[in-house]
């Protein structure tokens, strides 16, 4: 085991002692520093290995390899200093590290460099509201999560779920949000893990949101509304994953309506997406007025856009009492909404949101199926009938390789995540976002991603 891998593994070994030794506030700060240190260490170690090997295995030159190794050594010192600031932890880290680099560790070392025996993850608190019924009542499945949430209709319930997101080097030196917990687990899987849920009252939901927002910087919520054929567990995981990928430091919130979670349940899901609208309006009202947020952003995917658009068409969030949060960015991802119906309700969205962004694709096979069922084009389809409406930034993602079904690209494609990041964090208009070009249209202008060079 090389020195960088040994130090990262030693940090994982020592971490349980840190959670016992440090108080909550001190642990939160320490965890952020250690997380950044390990990300920097991994990136530096990877660069050093690549410099030593070179693109053809012949090395990158003695000077370049030496500089890369110096950077890796500096990153190791940075992590060691963090632990040394707490003497019991520093001593234990040093002992574990020595055992690993001298070959006295008890774990097998046949794994290649960069393949660690511990998976680092962040435990993300996701608040939720759902009107799914209990799975025990036979209302469908919940994606395998503990039998708690079904796919049938129920009363509106509130709560908090804990979701573990594997951490990697992509976020670099970005600190974790304050209330996200750092965890190490000895498992080779890199799947996102859904932990337990805690049911709350509507008032308790608001109190929990205010508590999570305290000390989080900008007081913002990010609401995710899932689409067709999605169980509660999958929706909670996607909510946390989007918040992680976007580097969102506020509070992620899931609204989970009763999708049956089955490929053959399209019509049932469509009916439930219509049925849930009054509940979503109640949720949105409480979220805007009772959570202590300044801004609430919303990302809706696929059929979840029916829930969002119908709700906002019949509910004016700007008429809420003074002090209510304002609706920030509304992101409509692959909306499975009748294109003409969307054109009718779009002014209501534009009037209420700070910015409205619609992502469409002509490769979206799921929306192609929806069009055949409904008989009319969908707002998430591009091509000749692409939806261009004043006040809505329509972005054509057809040029991107968006997977087999080309439908879940909002959370799966780095270019789109980068684009949403620019919208969410900076409110950047399309003209100022990387990789987009303007396209003239009879109804105005839309934007499309430039094809990737091969």
């Amino acid at each position: 085991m090389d020195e960088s891998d040994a130090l990262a593994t030693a940090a994982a070994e020592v971490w349980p002692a840190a959670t016992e030794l440090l108080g909550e506030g001190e642990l939160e700060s320490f965890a952020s520093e250690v997380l950044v240190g390990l990300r920097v260490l991994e990136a530096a170690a990877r660069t050093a290995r690549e410099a030593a090997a070179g693109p053809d295995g012949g090395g990158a030159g003695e000077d370049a390899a030496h500089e890369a190794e110096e950077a890796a050594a500096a990153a190791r010192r940075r992590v060691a200093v963090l632990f040394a600031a707490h003497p019991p932890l520093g001593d234990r880290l040093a002992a574990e590290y020595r055992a690993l680099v001298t070959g006295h560790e008890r774990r097998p070392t046949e794994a290649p460099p960069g393949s660690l025996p511990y998976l680092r993850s962040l435990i993300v608190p996701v608040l939720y509201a759902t009107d799914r019924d209990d799975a025990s009542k036979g209302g469908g499945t919940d994606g395998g999560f503990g039998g708690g949430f079904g796919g049938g209709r129920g009363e509106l319930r509130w709560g908090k779920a804990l979701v573990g997101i594997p951490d990697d080097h992509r976020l670099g030196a970005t600190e974790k949000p304050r209330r996200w917990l750092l965890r190490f687990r000895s498992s080779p899987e890199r799947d996102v893990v859904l932990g337990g849920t805690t049911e709350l009252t509507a008032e308790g939901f608001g109190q929990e949101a205010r508590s999570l927002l305290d000390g989080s910087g900008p007081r913002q919520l990010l609401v995710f509304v899932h689409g067709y054929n999605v169980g509660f567990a999958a929706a909670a995981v996607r909510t946390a994953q989007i918040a992680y990928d976007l580097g969102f430091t506020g509070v992620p919130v899931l609204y989970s309506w009763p999708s049956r979670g089955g490929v053959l349940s399209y019509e049932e899901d469509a009916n439930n997406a219509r049925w849930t609208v009054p509940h979503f309006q109640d949720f949105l009202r409480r979220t805007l007025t009772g959570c202590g947020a300044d801004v609430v952003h919303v990302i809706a995917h696929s059929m979840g856009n029916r829930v969002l658009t119908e709700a906002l068409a019949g509910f004016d969030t700007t008429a809420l009492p003074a002090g209510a949060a304002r609706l920030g960015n509304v992101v409509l991802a692959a909306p499975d909404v009748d294109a003409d119906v969307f054109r009718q309700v779009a002014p209501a969205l534009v009037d209420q949101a700070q910015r409205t962004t619609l992502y469409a694709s002509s490769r979206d096979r799921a929306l192609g199926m929806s069009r055949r069922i409904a008989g009319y084009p969908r707002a998430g389809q591009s091509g000749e009938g692409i939806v261009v409406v004043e006040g809505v930034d329509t972005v054509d993602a057809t040029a991107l390789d968006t997977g087999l079904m080309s439908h879940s690209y909002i959370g799966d494609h780095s270019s789109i995540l980068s684009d949403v990041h620019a919208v969410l964090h900076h409110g950047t208009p399309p003209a100022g976002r990387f990789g987009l070009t303007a396209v003239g249209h009879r109804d105005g202008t839309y934007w499309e991603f430039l094809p990737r060079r091969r």
Side-chain angles (χ1 to χ4, degrees), residues 240-315:
Q241 189 71 62
I242 287 176
Y244 174 87
D245 288 340
L246 293 176
F248 185 73
T249 59
V251 179
V253 181
L254 165 67
Y255 183 83
S256 184
W257 52 277
S259 166
R260 300 286 289 188
V263 175
L264 301 180
S265 301
Y266 184 88
E267 289 296 339
E268 288 181 80
D269 277 14
N271 288 331
N272 283 343
R274 187 175 303 111
W275 169 84
T276 196
V277 168
H279 289 167
F280 182 75
Q281 290 174 329
D282 183 28
F283 157 78
L284 200 56
R285 181 181 296 105
R286 289 179 179 272
T287 301
L288 291 167
T289 60
C291 290
D294 296 325
V295 179
V296 175
H297 306 290
V298 184
I299 297 178
H301 179 241
S302 184
M303 196 177 283
N305 284 279
R306 299 190 192 184
V307 179
L308 176 63
T309 55
E310 289 188 33
L312 291 180
F315 171 47

Side-chain angles (χ1 to χ4, degrees), residues 67-398:
E67 290 179 5
E69 179 50 41
E70 283 293 311
R76 292 194 294 271
R77 287 193 295 272
R78 174 178 178 172
V79 173
V81 166
L82 290 174
F83 280 83
H86 306 278
L89 299 179
D91 294 343
R92 290 191 58 173
L93 181 75
E96 289 285 348
Y97 173 71
R98 284 194 298 270
L100 289 163
V101 295
T102 57
H104 295 159
E105 75 277 14
R106 298 177 181 178
R107 291 166 299 281
T109 59
E110 291 80 5
S115 179
L116 302 178
Y118 284 90
L119 173 63
R120 184 177 68 242
S121 59
L122 293 170
I123 308 302
V124 182
V126 175
L127 297 182
Y128 67 82
T130 181
D131 52 6
R132 293 173 178 270
D133 68 350
D134 292 330
S136 60
K137 296 180 180 179
T141 64
D142 67 343
F145 174 67
F149 300 95
R153 299 174 178 179
E155 298 296 323
L156 187 60
R157 292 184 287 170
W158 312 78
K160 180 176 75 171
L162 298 178
V163 184
I165 302 294
D167 182 64
D168 57 34
H169 64 277
R170 288 174 301 141
L171 295 184
T174 303
E175 290 190 2
K176 72 175 183 65
R178 177 186 168 192
R179 298 300 178 90
W180 294 20
L181 302 179
L182 177 61
R183 185 183 71 171
F184 297 86
R185 57 191 177 96
S186 53
S187 171
E189 294 95 14
R190 291 193 172 271
D191 294 332
V192 184
V193 177
L194 180 64
T197 62
T198 302
E199 190 156 343
L200 303 168
T201 63
E203 292 73 20
F205 176 90
Q207 292 170 1
E208 187 68 22
R210 288 191 291 274
S211 175
L212 291 171
L213 284 170
D214 288 342
S216 68
R219 301 183 67 83
Q220 300 183 356
L221 305 181
L222 176 60
V223 174
F224 178 64
V225 187
H226 63 78
Y228 147 74
N229 185 23
V230 178
F232 177 87
V237 165
R238 179 50 63 96
T239 304
Q241 189 71 62
I242 287 176
Y244 174 87
D245 288 340
L246 293 176
F248 185 73
T249 59
V251 179
V253 181
L254 165 67
Y255 183 83
S256 184
W257 52 277
S259 166
R260 300 286 289 188
V263 175
L264 301 180
S265 301
Y266 184 88
E267 289 296 339
E268 288 181 80
D269 277 14
N271 288 331
N272 283 343
R274 187 175 303 111
W275 169 84
T276 196
V277 168
H279 289 167
F280 182 75
Q281 290 174 329
D282 183 28
F283 157 78
L284 200 56
R285 181 181 296 105
R286 289 179 179 272
T287 301
L288 291 167
T289 60
C291 290
D294 296 325
V295 179
V296 175
H297 306 290
V298 184
I299 297 178
H301 179 241
S302 184
M303 196 177 283
N305 284 279
R306 299 190 192 184
V307 179
L308 176 63
T309 55
E310 289 188 33
L312 291 180
F315 171 47
D316 183 7
T317 60
T318 65
L320 292 172
R326 62 188 186 278
L327 201 60
N329 289 288
V330 169
V331 177
L332 313 168
D336 185 0
V337 178
D338 184 295
D340 288 330
V341 171
F342 180 80
R343 291 184 178 96
Q344 293 171 353
V345 302
L349 277 68
V350 172
D351 289 344
Q352 298 182 62
Q354 291 177 319
R355 181 172 294 278
T356 304
T357 306
L358 186 156
Y359 292 95
S361 173
S362 61
R363 294 184 181 181
D364 194 321
R365 292 171 56 187
L367 291 185
M369 178 194 71
S370 176
R371 176 176 181 167
R372 289 191 294 274
I373 293 173
Y376 293 96
R378 318 318 287 164
Q381 294 180 299
S382 58
E384 184 178 347
I386 190 169
V387 171
V388 179
V389 180
E390 184 178 359
V392 176
D393 298 329
T394 298
V395 179
D396 185 353
T398 302

